[in-house]
Amino acid sequence: MNGPGIQLTLAPELRLFAPPSRRAERVPTATDGASSLGHVVESAGVPLTEVGRLLVDGREVPVSYVPSAGQSVEVFGVERPQHVPGAPPLRFLLDVHLGTLARRLRLLGVDAAYENEDIGDPALATRSAAEQRVLLSRDRGLLRRRELFAGAYVYSDNPDEQLRDVLGRFAPALAPWTRCTACNGPLRNADKESVGDRLQSGTHRSYDVFAQCTACERVYWRGAHHARLERIVSEAVEEFGGVATP
């Protein structure tokens, strides 16, 4: 772009998307005089999924606004908790790189679909639109696809931080221990007799309380990993609300 120049200021949390040379507080930015502000922001490296208010010379404008020479543009991050229009109840779709986050969201009872194979960006975006799911990804290019229902960049590669980021940003209702961590289906209480043929002898002797997925029929009990899972649940519930009792 080599048209009218503007002054572009990205919120501090958005500067990681820009090239290092363009992370200053105010960056002179050339436009072509016809492109929308949304296009200008994306050209700076910022996915529009991460953009909240846009101010031009102190006045709020939509992403369709076409900036003029000499104007000062401020780009803010999304407000938290973020409201997703047309998304009751809130549902998510995670790409192939976020399997641990998907399992933890399901552990908390959050509807989190997950592709454990790389089905490609077009298919993910199409599923997000068809099922009205918020796509979670660390792939900036994927989040720029126009057919997405909604999307969000996952800022950390640490599963603990990823979970806190998503829960803090979207404030989904938590209902721990109600969803299958393997397939996302709902769980129901199950007696030992009904699931006995699916248990190893040691498990059958040692445990009496079971749950079973109504979709894939996987059986759950409070086994060796329960304490670690309980910690994840209790910490999330303490900070973000919900009911921790399994």
Side-chain angles (χ1 to χ4, degrees), residues 34-42 46-56 59-67 73-76 78 146:
S35 293
S36 69
L37 192 51
H39 180 75
V40 173
V41 171
E42 283 193 322
V46 183
L48 291 182
T49 60
E50 306 312 297
V51 173
R53 293 188 305 146
L54 295 169
L55 298 185
V56 173
R59 177 172 61 91
E60 188 164 355
V61 299
V63 293
S64 59
Y65 180 85
V66 178
V73 177
E74 297 176 83
V75 184
F76 293 86
V78 294
R146 291 291 180 258

Side-chain angles (χ1 to χ4, degrees), residues 2-3 21 27 76 82 95 117 126 153 157 165 212 219 229:
N2 54 9
S21 62
V27 179
F76 293 86
Q82 180 181 353
D95 71 17
E117 296 181 2
T126 297
Y153 184 74
D157 57 9
D165 180 22
Q212 187 174 29
V219 179
L229 299 178

